[in-house]
Amino acid sequence: MLLNSYYKKGIECGTDEAGRGCLAGPVTAAAVVLPKRFKNPKLNDSKIVSLSNRTYLKEIIENEALCFGIAHIDNIKIDEINILNASILAMHDSIEQLVSIPDHILVDGNRFKTYKEIPHLCVIKGDGKYLNIAAASILAKTYRDAYMTKIHEEYPMYNWKQNKGYPTKEHRAAIVEFGITKYHRRSFRLLPEQLKLDI
């Protein structure tokens, strides 16, 4: 059973990102402040929640959260500052959008940079331990998936509506055949090691 939050005294937001390991598209982060008594048995790490339940949970979270924020950092910025810094920047930008300033930030993973001197705690696999991080993971994934589905229409040969920019065999084969697009991350090793089709 996931815990509602870590910080009990005041407002805590959970934050998480999606798309860190992709070859194309943005890294997307969300920050969510849930009511103290919020519970939902279906809410968990977005990676283990079905598409139908993610869609259902997105609506629940947006309707019941005290506030939330979403931020995309595009591939150009990722190439400029690297994926770790871009992931943290996305989380900072999503927190910046919150209507209520949090007293504490709960972060999925083990790396973060202090945001406006607000205390934070990094939790490895936190999206499977705390509801506010799990909620952020659901929003980050659903918003990023929607973004990738939209840009798929520009470059359907990469099938981003299916692989969402991750290095699937199909995606790597398409890069070998068609080259890279304006959405691909040039700082990632796209050729030749990452594109070997037997891995």
Side-chain angles (χ1 to χ4, degrees), residues 39-52:
K39 292 189 183 305
N40 190 300
K42 293 184 178 181
L43 182 54
N44 209 320
D45 171 6
S46 64
K47 293 185 291 296
I48 63 172
V49 174
S50 69
L51 173 59
S52 60

Side-chain angles (χ1 to χ4, degrees), residues 2-199:
L2 277 64
L3 299 173
N4 180 281
S5 59
Y6 171 83
Y7 189 76
K8 307 303 180 188
K9 296 177 183 177
I11 297 171
E12 179 179 78
C13 77
T15 187
D16 197 6
E17 51 72 29
R20 189 165 165 176
C22 294
L23 301 182
V27 62
T28 302
V32 181
V33 177
L34 294 175
K36 289 293 185 186
R37 296 184 180 276
F38 179 90
K39 292 189 183 305
N40 190 300
K42 293 184 178 181
L43 182 54
N44 209 320
D45 171 6
S46 64
K47 293 185 291 296
I48 63 172
V49 174
S50 69
L51 173 59
S52 60
N53 278 339
R54 288 199 303 269
T55 303
Y56 157 79
L57 287 165
K58 174 180 181 287
E59 186 173 347
I60 294 291
I61 293 162
E62 290 180 344
N63 286 336
E64 297 189 23
L66 299 179
C67 54
F68 67 90
I70 310 289
H72 300 290
I73 300 299
D74 67 24
N75 55 299
I76 296 171
K77 191 67 175 179
I78 291 170
D79 287 342
E80 180 185 328
I81 64 175
N82 79 43
I83 187 60
L84 173 61
N85 286 325
S87 298
I88 294 171
L89 177 60
M91 288 190 274
H92 281 199
D93 285 357
S94 67
I95 296 167
E96 182 73 32
Q97 296 175 31
L98 297 175
V99 175
S100 301
I101 299 172
D103 301 300
H104 189 261
I105 300 167
L106 202 57
V107 184
D108 183 61
N110 62 356
R111 303 289 292 276
F112 194 67
K113 296 177 183 176
T114 300
Y115 173 80
K116 293 187 176 179
E117 300 183 355
I118 298 171
H120 68 268
L121 176 67
C122 292
V123 182
I124 296 172
K125 296 184 178 178
D127 46 8
K129 297 174 182 176
Y130 292 97
L131 289 171
N132 54 11
I133 299 181
S137 80
I138 294 290
L139 292 190
K141 177 153 183 60
T142 54
Y143 273 85
R144 187 182 185 279
D145 284 358
Y147 183 101
M148 295 306 296
T149 299
K150 182 178 179 181
I151 65 172
H152 164 86
E153 302 304 323
E154 279 185 77
Y155 297 97
M157 66 281 283
Y158 301 93
N159 200 19
W160 290 332
K161 68 178 181 182
Q162 183 68 36
N163 62 54
K164 304 302 188 289
Y166 282 92
T168 61
K169 185 174 182 179
E170 175 189 44
H171 188 186
R172 289 180 282 122
I175 295 172
V176 170
E177 182 174 359
F178 301 108
I180 61 173
T181 70
K182 62 184 179 181
Y183 296 112
H184 280 98
R185 303 173 185 178
R186 294 172 183 268
S187 57
F188 282 40
R189 298 187 70 178
L190 296 175
L191 290 170
E193 292 85 352
Q194 199 153 18
L195 297 174
K196 288 179 181 176
L197 302 183
D198 58 348
I199 63 172

